[in-house]
Amino acid sequence: MSGSDLVLILRYRKAVTYGHHVLLAALEEHDTSTAYEVVFAETAAATIEAIRAARAAKVLVLWSFYSPDAEALAEELATIKAAAPGAVHVAGGVHATAEPVRTLDAGWDIAAVGEGESTLLSLVDSAGDPTGIQGLVHRDDTGTLQRTGKAHREPLGRYRAFPLTYKRMNPIEITRGCVYACAY
């Protein structure tokens, strides 16, 4: 990995691959001046190795998980951060949306709230700088909690459901969120 402005490392777990696929599909259709690389890390050890190998101005590790997995993944995150400091860890998915402050308290640097497509595209455009990007909760340099509001929500059919570049396929979603009026 060399010569990029940004390296995106996906903490790629079988339970949550579809969300990553949708984000990558949006990203491959997006025109940006940021030179970036994508790395799939299927284990904690692979994540550590990818962070250490990254040669970029900024490294973002993208996580997605459900609440039942949060505690175990927080432990994994602590191990990864101790072994390979310097990356910015971004949590997305249901847990980060429902509990963004708890997500930060558990060790993640940024919580992405709501739909992730526009948020990720903006993060890539900014070469990983979260300043002013909608759909994020994070702490600034003084430790003050920053909530940037809801992410822009694209129509469901705006992007493909899976990325062609990475040959990662999944079902196509025909509805969004919970049909029982959940807040996600």
Side-chain angles (χ1 to χ4, degrees), residues 51-103:
I51 293 168
R52 289 177 177 167
R55 301 291 178 252
K58 187 83 131 198
V59 177
L60 299 181
V61 180
L62 306 180
W63 300 71
S64 181
F65 53 92
Y66 300 105
S67 295
D69 299 326
E71 187 176 336
L73 290 177
E75 291 174 14
E76 180 179 310
L77 172 67
T79 300
I80 291 169
K81 285 179 118 177
V88 175
H89 294 266
V90 182
V94 177
H95 185 77
T97 295
E99 297 286 353
V101 176
R102 283 179 138 176
T103 301

Side-chain angles (χ1 to χ4, degrees), residues 77 81 86-91 103-104 107-111 130 137-139:
L77 172 67
K81 285 179 118 177
V88 175
H89 294 266
V90 182
T103 301
L104 298 179
W108 279 273
D109 303 303
I110 299 172
V137 177
H138 61 97
R139 290 192 171 91

